Amino acid sequence: MKKKLISALLCVSMTAGMLAGCGNSDAKKENKGSSDKDGKTTLTMWCPPLDDDTKGNFDKLLADFKKEKNVDLEIELIPWENYQEKWSTGISNGECPDIGYMYAEMYPTYISSGVVMDMTDLLTEEDRKEFKYLDRGEMMGGQYGMPIVTGVPFVLYYNEDILNELGETPPETWEDFKRICEKATKDTDGDGNIDQYGYAVGLNNGGMSNLYILNSYFYSLLWQAGGDIYNDDLKTVKFNNEAGVEALEFFKSLKDYMPENTLSLPAEDAFSTIFGAGKAAFGVTRSSAQQETLFAETYPDLNWNYVTSLKNKDYGTFGAADSLSIMSTCEEPELAMELIRYICGSEFMTEYHKIAPGAALTVSEEYVGDPKMERIVTEDVDKWRPLQVGPCGSEILENLAAHIQSVMEGKQDVKEALDESAEFADDTLAEYWAENEE
């Protein structure tokens, strides 16, 4: 494939307007691996807040590295709510950091436009043995990121009191799950109204991206059915095949066990006000290594546990693999790689995870967090996975999410909706590949 800057009109979505600049050799290069009069090199990094004082914590934990390598790291913290906007604007203006924190939906167009560097040749055999999740930074034919935040997948939480009252054990399969949902959905106080539900689902994105609906509810079913978003060549999609239809038909079949206002209820509110309040057998939200501690504070009366993934043909649930990447304009890529290797490595993360618990990224680091959540990154580690990264991802997935909502609203049947969304996706990809392949 011949990579080149693509039109700002192509793949317009959450990443609209971000294409010009960074991959261009004429782009501005202020502070790109620059050196001062003492020979000290300055590297710049953009990232969102990862804890209450990300910059202060990173500066403290990087002090020895910076002294040894005679390097300064200038971190610009960008709020989550305008993170993509900052990247879009910065890249359009030719202003890039040396290192960027990126998540899956951001990568496709940046990779295609040459903004992000392929790190394959910068990795060593030792890296491949030490870093546990390197494969989750592989996408679109290259190693474009080193995961820094992972191991916090969306999992299925269940109310132990409700399951015990129903005489049920935790579900393992789709059949188990649907049976328990049906039994749990009932009027518990005799007033003629349903007040306990099987599944606390919210299909209004609220303050979240529309993609949150896919993260929470659909990807897991799609993967468990044996499906995925793209075909292997990334030139067409396959979410409308037999597996995709089975996944969405199953999700639709659960609607009778969801709250009456599920279409207008934000997903986060569904979890907190329905499941968290003890009014549903099941709920889905992102996990955390501190979940037991957090739930004890937020839902002190909730007797809960979790299933990392149900199984149909396979296991699968969405787990982010947010990564650190080197921008193509970085003038010191080897030094940037050393810095990324150190940040994601055992020495740094052993201390950082005491501040912000997360999955150990290396074989040398021990788990830090609540014991109840440890099996997510041990015995269940193969049950969750990151999003398949492909061209025009955000645009295609936003369209898919809208069609799923249409199905749940009763406006379209499953096959019609998936075929219509797949046609849009394939047309978008055809335009993309016409511009980017010889």
Side-chain angles (χ1 to χ4, degrees):
M1 182 180 80
K2 180 182 178 182
K3 291 183 181 176
K4 58 184 179 180
L5 293 178
I6 58 180
S7 164
L9 297 177
L10 185 63
C11 297
V12 176
S13 60
M14 295 166 64
T15 51
M18 69 186 181
L19 307 178
C22 252
N24 190 326
S25 61
D26 295 327
K28 299 176 186 177
K29 294 185 178 179
E30 294 92 338
N31 297 319
K32 296 294 177 289
S34 60
S35 299
D36 61 22
K37 61 182 179 181
D38 297 321
K40 182 174 289 188
T41 301
T42 298
L43 294 175
T44 58
M45 182 168 81
W46 289 358
C47 72
L50 304 177
D51 59 74
D52 292 338
D53 183 18
T54 302
K55 189 175 186 306
N57 290 324
F58 271 52
D59 284 344
K60 180 174 66 175
L61 294 175
L62 286 171
D64 290 343
F65 177 88
K66 291 191 289 186
K67 182 177 180 180
E68 178 185 346
K69 301 296 180 180
N70 197 29
V71 62
D72 271 338
L73 176 63
E74 295 181 355
I75 299 175
E76 182 174 352
L77 287 182
I78 305 165
W80 280 108
E81 55 266 27
N82 62 338
Y83 197 67
Q84 293 231 36
E85 179 185 356
K86 168 66 176 181
W87 276 88
S88 300
T89 303
I91 291 173
S92 295
N93 293 333
E95 299 169 357
C96 284
D98 296 299
I99 298 168
Y101 178 109
M102 305 177 78
Y103 43 91
E105 291 87 349
M106 295 177 67
Y107 276 104
T109 308
Y110 287 117
I111 292 172
S112 302
S113 58
V115 172
V116 187
M117 180 180 294
D118 185 349
M119 301 159 64
T120 301
D121 292 340
L122 297 174
L123 294 172
T124 66
E125 285 305 309
E126 196 172 299
D127 291 335
R128 299 185 189 283
K129 294 176 183 177
E130 174 69 359
F131 290 93
K132 297 164 66 174
Y133 302 108
L134 270 182
D135 62 322
R136 301 178 188 211
E138 295 175 2
M139 55 199 94
M140 295 177 67
Q143 181 83 41
Y144 288 101
M146 178 176 281
I148 181 175
V149 174
T150 191
V152 288
F154 284 80
V155 301
L156 182 68
Y157 295 88
Y158 62 88
N159 184 310
E160 289 194 315
D161 292 333
I162 292 178
L163 265 62
N164 289 337
E165 186 270 332
L166 296 173
E168 292 282 358
T169 56
E172 297 180 9
T173 66
W174 284 12
E175 292 77 10
D176 295 338
F177 179 63
K178 186 171 182 178
R179 182 188 65 252
I180 298 171
C181 282
E182 182 177 7
K183 291 172 67 175
T185 304
K186 58 184 178 178
D187 170 17
T188 63
D189 60 12
D191 68 354
N193 297 313
I194 299 296
D195 51 37
Q196 178 177 283
Y197 305 94
Y199 195 14
V201 170
L203 295 174
N204 182 325
N205 58 312
M208 306 293 288
S209 162
N210 207 30
L211 301 181
Y212 193 84
I213 293 170
L214 302 180
N215 296 350
S216 300
Y217 310 121
F218 186 67
Y219 292 143
S220 58
L221 298 178
L222 180 63
W223 296 333
Q224 289 161 22
D228 214 328
I229 301 299
Y230 296 88
N231 284 298
D232 290 344
D233 62 5
L234 304 180
K235 294 183 177 180
T236 55
V237 296
K238 63 178 181 180
F239 56 71
N240 63 325
N241 66 8
E242 183 178 344
V245 170
E246 183 182 12
L248 188 49
E249 288 282 11
F250 182 71
F251 187 52
K252 181 182 177 183
S253 77
L254 300 172
K255 189 178 177 184
D256 288 344
Y257 316 127
M258 301 175 189
E260 293 89 342
N261 63 336
T262 192
L263 294 172
S264 60
L265 186 65
E268 289 188 311
D269 290 353
F271 188 86
S272 61
T273 66
I274 306 295
F275 180 78
K279 299 176 182 178
F282 301 104
V284 172
T285 194
R286 189 185 296 279
S287 59
S288 163
Q290 289 183 303
Q291 205 79 311
E292 192 168 17
T293 302
L294 295 171
F295 278 8
E297 298 171 355
T298 310
Y299 313 119
D301 299 324
L302 185 65
N303 185 17
W304 64 276
N305 212 315
Y306 67 94
V307 174
T308 302
S309 170
L310 296 172
K311 185 177 183 182
N312 186 37
K313 291 181 177 64
D314 202 351
Y315 291 103
T317 191
F318 174 70
D322 296 1
S323 298
L324 293 181
S325 297
I326 301 172
M327 301 299 105
S328 60
T329 48
C330 177
E331 295 180 348
E332 297 285 349
E334 291 83 5
L335 181 60
M337 186 70 244
E338 283 192 69
L339 179 59
I340 290 174
R341 184 181 290 117
Y342 186 79
I343 290 173
C344 298
S346 177
E347 182 177 346
F348 182 99
M349 280 296 166
T350 294
E351 296 304 314
Y352 185 68
H353 282 154
K354 294 176 183 178
I355 300 166
L361 302 177
T362 62
V363 297
S364 302
E365 183 189 350
E366 295 183 359
Y367 172 80
V368 176
D370 296 331
K372 191 172 185 175
M373 309 308 295
E374 186 174 5
R375 63 182 163 89
I376 288 176
V377 294
T378 53
E379 62 191 271
D380 287 353
V381 70
D382 293 328
K383 294 181 179 179
W384 51 271
R385 49 160 288 186
L387 182 65
Q388 184 187 25
V389 174
C392 309
S394 291
E395 188 177 10
I396 288 170
L397 295 173
E398 287 276 3
N399 184 274
L400 174 59
H403 279 84
I404 290 173
Q405 286 178 312
S406 181
V407 167
M408 298 303 286
E409 291 170 6
K411 295 178 179 178
Q412 289 183 291
D413 66 34
V414 168
K415 182 61 174 169
E416 174 194 10
L418 291 179
D419 282 347
E420 190 173 289
S421 187
E423 182 180 5
F424 168 84
D426 288 348
D427 286 347
T428 303
L429 288 167
E431 182 180 358
Y432 166 84
W433 286 109
E435 291 286 332
N436 288 272
E437 184 179 52
E438 290 186 347

